[in-house]
C-alpha cells in the first residue's frame, strides 16, 4: 500500500520522543463542540480535522420534522438517497456509494446494511432508526477503514441518541416528553414518548415511537402524453409503518467505573407495494404486488474504566443484533387467457455478535500526544429460504463470516500546537464460508489500512489540510454465495446467478486536501467558518451486480456473446445472461465539498456545496453484451448540490427558517444511457420552518410548523429517467407538537 511508507516515517519521528502531553483546545473555541472522528475517544474541533465532516445538532435535527433519517441526511453536501422515493424505502449514500460501502453506527454499534453487489437485500429501510431519539448526527465523507474496518469506502454515519441528562439539562429528577408530527404529503402521523430519570448513579431513558404512512403525493408532469404513464402519476400507493422501542441506561458506580446498557427494537413494514418497488411494473401489472417486513433487535453492554492514570481509559463492549427480512409476493400476470401465478415468500435472517476492547492513553511531555488502541472480534450469519407452491428452496442458502481487527491511532501536536497529526494503522482479517455451497472453499483474506492526516494552523484563523487514507471492503456473504436460474423476459435466453467464491475485496486510495477559515467574536460575527475539501478516490476490484451475456462454445466454455437476435460483428448470440456479482474493474471519483457557517446575534446561516465526477473501467455493456475497458461516466453518480439554511430568532420563543436545495443537471452519462433517456434537469426546492416555545404555565410546550417543496416543484433525483422513475415528493405541510415536563 502506497501510504504505509509515509506512515512509518512519521511514526519513526514520533517515537523519538519519550513523554507527551494532552491536547487542549484553543480558549476562543471552548464553546464549539468537539466531535469524535478519529477513533476511540479521540476528539477534535471540526475545523481542525483534515476530513470532510458534517455535524448536525439536536436543534438542527428537530427543525427537519422528519420521521425518516434519510430526509435529514440528504440536506448535507455529498449525501443523497438510493432506492425508492417512498418513505422508509431509501438508503443513505455518500459520494455516490451506498450499502456496505458506508458505515452506520448508533451509539457505537454498527447497523449493517446487507447488500448484494450494487443492490441492497431489503427493499425497505433496514436501519430502523427513530430520528426523534437522536442528539447528534455526524457524517464523515471519504475513506474511514482506519476506525471501522471493512466498509466505509464512501464514508461513515455515526448517530448518538439522547441521554436523560440531555432531556433534563443535567438536573436530577424524573421527566417525560411526548410529541406528535403530521406530514401531509404522505398522510404520515409520527408519535413518540420518552421517559427519563437522572440521579447521582443512574441515567435512564425509555423511548417509544410509531410512524404510519399512507399514499404518497408526487408532482405529475404537466405535458405528459398518454404513453408517459409514470410521468402522469400524482400519487403513489403506499401503506407503511415503523415502530421503535429503546431502553438505555448508564450506571456510574464511582468516578472510575461505569456500565452502559441498551436494548433497541424496531419493526418496519410496507404492504401492497409494486413488484420490486418499480412504478413501471405497477402500471404494467396492476394485479401484482409485494409486502416487505423487517424486524431489528439489538443489545449492547459497555463497561468503562477511567483510572487515575492518564494511560488508562478503557472500554469493553459486547453487542448482539438480529435482523429479519420478509418479502411476500402476491398476485398474477395475465398472458393471453392464462394467469401466471407469482405467489411466493422469501424469508431472510442476519445476525451479528462481537466484543471490542479499546483504550485511550494520554502522555505528557514535550509533545501533546494521545494513543488509541482497539481490538475487535465479531461474527455474522445469514440464512434465507423462499417458498412457492408450498415448495421450499433457497437463493443465498446459509453462510457465516468472522472478522477481527487491531488498530492503533496516534493524535499529536507539534510546533506550539500549530501542526496537528493523526496517523494510524489497522489490520483486519476476515473469513466467509457457506454451509449451503459446501463445494467451495472459504473466502478469506487480510488488509492493512493506513491513514495520515495533517492540519497546519498557518494563522489563528487559517488551517491547511492534507489527508491520505486507505480503505477496503471484504465481499459480502450475499455477493459470494447465491444460485438461481430462470427464463429471461427476452425469449429463448436463460438468466442465472451463481456463486462467486473467489471475489476479491475492494480497496481504495483516498487523497484529500483543502483549507479552512474560522473566526469568533468579530464585530460582525459571533462565529464565521469556512471549510473546503478536494478529494480524489480510486476503488480497485469494484464489485457490481451487472449482467454478463454468454454463449457456450464447443468445449462448453463461456464466451461473451451479443444480445441478438442476430450475431453482431461475428459474435454469436448469447444464450445466457449472468447476474452474479463480479469484480468489474476500477471506480474513480473526484470532487469538491464546501461548508460555511455564520452566526451573529439572532441569525444563523449555513451553506453546503458538493460536486463529484465518477468514472468506471471494465463495465459490462448491458445493451451490447460486451465489456468496455475504457473509462466512462458511472451511471450512479449524484448531481451537484448546493444547500442553504437560514434561521432567525425573532424572540426567545419564536424562530423561523428557510432552506434551499439546488441541484444541477446530471447528464454526465455514457451515450447509451443518454439515448435511453437517462439524466436529470436542474431544479431548486424551497423549505420553510418555524418554531414557537411557550413560557409560563405552558413551559415545555413547543410547536413547529414546516413546508417542504414550497413551490410544489416536479423533480427527479439523479440518476433517473422520466420513463421509469417517478418524481420526488410534492408539497409537504408539517406540524409538530411536543411537551416535556
Amino acid at each position: 500500500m502506497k501510504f504505509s511508507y509515509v506512515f512509518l516515517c512519521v511514526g519513526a519521528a514520533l517515537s523519538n520522543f519519550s513523554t507527551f502531553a494532552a491536547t487542549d483546545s484553543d480558549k476562543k473555541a471552548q464553546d464549539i463542540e468537539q466531535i469524535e472522528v478519529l477513533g476511540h475517544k479521540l476528539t477534535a474541533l471540526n475545523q481542525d480535522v483534515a476530513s470532510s465532516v458534517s455535524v448536525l445538532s439536536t436543534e438542527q435535527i428537530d427543525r427537519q420534522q422528519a420521521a425518516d433519517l434519510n430526509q435529514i441526511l440528504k440536506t448535507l453536501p455529498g449525501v443523497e438517497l438510493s432506492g425508492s422515493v417512498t418513505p422508509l424505502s431509501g438508503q443513505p449514500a455518500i459520494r455516490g456509494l451506498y450499502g456496505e460501502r458506508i458505515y452506520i453506527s448508533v451509539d457505537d454499534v454498527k447497523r449493517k446494511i446487507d447488500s448484494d453487489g450494487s443492490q441492497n437485500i431489503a427493499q425497505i429501510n433496514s436501519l430502523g432508526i427513530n430520528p426523534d431519539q437522536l442528539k447528534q448526527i455526524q457524517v464523515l465523507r471519504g475513506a474511514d477503514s482506519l476506525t471501522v474496518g471493512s466498509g466505509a469506502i464512501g464514508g461513515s454515519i455515526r448517530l448518538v441518541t439522547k441521554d436523560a441528562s440531555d432531556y433534563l439539562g443535567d438536573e436530577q429528577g424524573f421527566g417525560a416528553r411526548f410529541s406528535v408530527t403530521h406530514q401531509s404529503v404522505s398522510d404520515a402521523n409520527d408519535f413518540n414518548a420518552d421517559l427519563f430519570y437522572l440521579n447521582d448513579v443512574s441515567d435512564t431513558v425509555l423511548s417509544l415511537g410509531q410512524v404510519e404512512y399512507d399514499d404518497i403525493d408526487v408532482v405529475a408532469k404537466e405535458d405528459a402524453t398518454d404513453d408517459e404513464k409514470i410521468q402522469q402519476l400524482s400519487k403513489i400507493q403506499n401503506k407503511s409503518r415503523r415502530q421503535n422501542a429503546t431502553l438505555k441506561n448508564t450506571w456510574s458506580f464511582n468516578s472510575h467505573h461505569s456500565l452502559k446498557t441498551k436494548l433497541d427494537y424496531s419493526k418496519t413494514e410496507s404492504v401492497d407495494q409494486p413488484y420490486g418497488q418499480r412504478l413501471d411494473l405497477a402500471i404494467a401489472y396492476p394485479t401484482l404486488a409485494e409486502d416487505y417486513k423487517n424486524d431489528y433487535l439489538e443489545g449492547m453492554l459497555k463497561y468503562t474504566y477511567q483510572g487515575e492514570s492518564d494511560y488508562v481509559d478503557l472500554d469493553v463492549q459486547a453487542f448482539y443484533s438480529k435482523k429479519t427480512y420478509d418479502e411476500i409476493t402476491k398476485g398474477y400476470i395475465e398472458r393471453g387467457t392464462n394467469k401466471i401465478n407469482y405467489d411466493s415468500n422469501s424469508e431472510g435472517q442476519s445476525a451479528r455478535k462481537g466484543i471490542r476492547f479499546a483504550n485511550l492513553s494520554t502522555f505528557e511531555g514535550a509533545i501533546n500526544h494521545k494513543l488509541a488502541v482497539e481490538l475487535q472480534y465479531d461474527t455474522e450469519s445469514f440464512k434465507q429460504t423462499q417458498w412457492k407452491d408450498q415448495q421450499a428452496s433457497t437463493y443465498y442458502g446459509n453462510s457465516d463470516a468472522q472478522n477481527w481487527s487491531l488498530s492503533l491511532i496516534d493524535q499529536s501536536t507539534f510546533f506550539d500546537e500549530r501542526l496537528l497529526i493523526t496517523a494510524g494503522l489497522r489490520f483486519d482479517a476476515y473469513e466467509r464460508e457457506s454451509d449451503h455451497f459446501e463445494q467451495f472453499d472459504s473466502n478469506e483474506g487480510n488488509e492493512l489500512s493506513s491513514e495520515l492526516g495533517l492540519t497546519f494552523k498557518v494563522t489563528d484563523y487559517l488551517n491547511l489540510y492534507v489527508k491520505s487514507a486507505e480503505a477496503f471492503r471484504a465481499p459480502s456473504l450475499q455477493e459470494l454465495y447465491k444460485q438461481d436460474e430462470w427464463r429471461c423476459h427476452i425469449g429463448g435466453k436463460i438468466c442465472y446467478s451463481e456463486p462467486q467464491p473467489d471475489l476479491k475485496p475492494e480497496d481504495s486510495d483516498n487523497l484529500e486536501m483543502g483549507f479552512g477559515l474560522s473566526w469568533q467574536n468579530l464585530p460582525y460575527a459571533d462565529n464565521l467558518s469556512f471549510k473546503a475539501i478536494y478529494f480524489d478516490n480510486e476503488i480497485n476490484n469494484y464489485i457490481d451486480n451487472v449482467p454478463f451475456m454468454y454463449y457456450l462454445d464447443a468445449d462448453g466454455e463461456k464466451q461473451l456473446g451479443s444480445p441478438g437476435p442476430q450475431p453482431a460483428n461475428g459474435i454469436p448470440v448469447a444464450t445466457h445472461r449472468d447476474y452474479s456479482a463480479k469484480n468489474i474493474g476500477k471506480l474513480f471519483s473526484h470532487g469538491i465539498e464546501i461548508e460555511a457557517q455564520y452566526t451573529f446575534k439572532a441569525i444563523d446561516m449555513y451553506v453546503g456545496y458538493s460536486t463529484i465526477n465518477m468514472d468506471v473501467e471494465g463495465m459490462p455493456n448491458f445493451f451490447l453484451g460486451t465489456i468496455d475497458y475504457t473509462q466512462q461516466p458511472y451511471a450512479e453518480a449524484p448531481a451537484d448540490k448546493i444547500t442553504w439554511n437560514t434561521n432567525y430568532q425573532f424572540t426567545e420563543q419564536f424562530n423561523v427558517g428557510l432552506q434551499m436545495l439546488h441541484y444541477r443537471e446530471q447528464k454526465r452519462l455514457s451515450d447509451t444511457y443518454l439515448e435511453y433517456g437517462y439524466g436529470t434537469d436542474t431544479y431548486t426546492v424551497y423549505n420553510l420552518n418555524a418554531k414557537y416555545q411557550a413560557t409560563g404555565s405552558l413551559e415545555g410546550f413547543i410547536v413547529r410548523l414546516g413546508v417542504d417543496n414550497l413551490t410544489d416543484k416536479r423533480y427527479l433525483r439523479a440518476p433517473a429517467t422520466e420513463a421509469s422513475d417517478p418524481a420526488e415528493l410534492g408539497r409537504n405541510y408539517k406540524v409538530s407538537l411536543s411537551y416535556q415536563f
Side-chain angles (χ1 to χ4, degrees), residues 171-231:
E171 294 184 4
Q172 295 188 10
F174 172 82
R177 180 181 181 273
F178 303 95
S179 69
V180 58
T181 297
H182 176 75
Q183 300 188 38
S184 66
V185 77
S186 54
D187 292 326
N189 294 301
D190 184 13
F191 302 93
N192 295 282
D194 303 281
L195 305 176
F196 32 87
Y197 178 70
L198 179 66
N199 60 23
D200 288 333
V201 297
S202 179
D203 182 309
T204 305
V205 178
L206 172 63
S207 297
L208 303 173
Q210 175 174 295
V211 58
E212 292 188 356
Y213 296 92
D214 212 318
D215 293 348
I216 310 302
D217 296 331
V218 296
V219 184
K221 190 173 182 179
E222 294 181 357
D223 56 349
T225 66
D226 292 340
D227 294 333
E228 298 172 330
K229 295 182 179 180
I230 285 186
Q231 300 175 42

Side-chain angles (χ1 to χ4, degrees), residues 124 238-240 268-273 277 290-292:
I124 57 175
N238 178 69
K239 299 286 184 182
S240 56
T268 309
E269 61 181 353
S270 190
V271 300
D272 295 333
Q273 292 290 302
Q277 288 201 329
E290 288 189 313
D291 296 346
Y292 308 107

Side-chain angles (χ1 to χ4, degrees), residues 363-414:
F363 301 89
E364 295 184 353
I367 300 174
N368 297 331
H369 173 80
K370 291 184 178 180
L371 179 65
V373 180
E374 181 176 296
L375 175 65
Q376 179 168 316
Y377 173 79
D378 65 79
T379 64
E380 303 174 22
S381 64
F382 182 81
K383 61 182 180 180
Q384 180 264 347
T385 304
Q386 54 199 34
W387 300 83
K388 186 174 178 60
D389 298 329
Q390 299 182 339
Q391 298 293 320
S393 60
T394 184
Y395 182 41
Y396 297 104
N398 301 342
S399 50
D400 301 280
Q402 299 183 64
N403 311 278
W404 74 268
S405 63
L406 174 65
S407 67
L408 295 91
I409 307 175
D410 178 87
Q411 182 185 24
S412 304
T413 59
F414 298 84

Side-chain angles (χ1 to χ4, degrees), residues 107-110 262 296-302 316-322 351-356 376-380:
D107 296 328
D108 292 329
V109 178
K110 182 178 182 179
K262 183 182 178 187
Y296 182 77
L297 176 66
E298 177 187 292
M300 184 271 287
L301 183 149
K302 181 167 70 174
V316 180
Q317 182 183 46
F319 57 87
Y320 171 82
S321 65
K322 179 181 177 181
R352 295 182 67 246
K353 57 185 176 181
I355 189 167
R356 179 178 71 96
Q376 179 168 316
Y377 173 79
D378 65 79
T379 64
E380 303 174 22

Side-chain angles (χ1 to χ4, degrees), residues 682-700:
T682 298
Y683 61 88
T684 305
V685 178
Y686 298 95
N687 305 325
L688 296 176
N689 65 80
K691 172 189 175 183
Y692 174 75
Q693 184 162 0
T695 58
S697 60
L698 293 178
E699 184 178 3

Side-chain angles (χ1 to χ4, degrees), residues 627-647:
I627 297 179
D628 194 345
Y629 291 100
T630 60
Q631 191 166 309
Q632 60 181 290
Y634 187 54
E636 298 290 328
D640 298 350
K641 177 173 65 174
I642 297 176
T643 301
W644 174 48
N645 295 333
T646 300
N647 286 276

Side-chain angles (χ1 to χ4, degrees), residues 119-144:
Q119 63 188 23
N120 297 321
I121 297 302
Q123 293 284 2
I124 57 175
N125 195 304
S126 58
L127 299 175
I129 296 168
N130 180 6
D132 191 71
Q133 297 177 243
L134 297 178
K135 175 173 66 175
Q136 184 188 83
I137 298 175
Q138 177 188 303
V139 178
L140 186 148
R141 292 172 284 268
D144 197 21

Side-chain angles (χ1 to χ4, degrees), residues 2 37 58 113 125 128 141 154 161 183 193 207 225 238 281-282 300 324 336 386 429 451 470 537 547 559 593 609:
K2 66 182 182 181
V37 296
T58 302
I113 301 177
N125 195 304
R141 292 172 284 268
T161 61
Q183 300 188 38
S207 297
T225 66
N238 178 69
L281 296 182
M300 184 271 287
T324 61
Q386 54 199 34
E451 182 175 311
E470 297 169 327
N537 192 39
Q559 304 292 339
E593 291 157 347
Y609 170 76

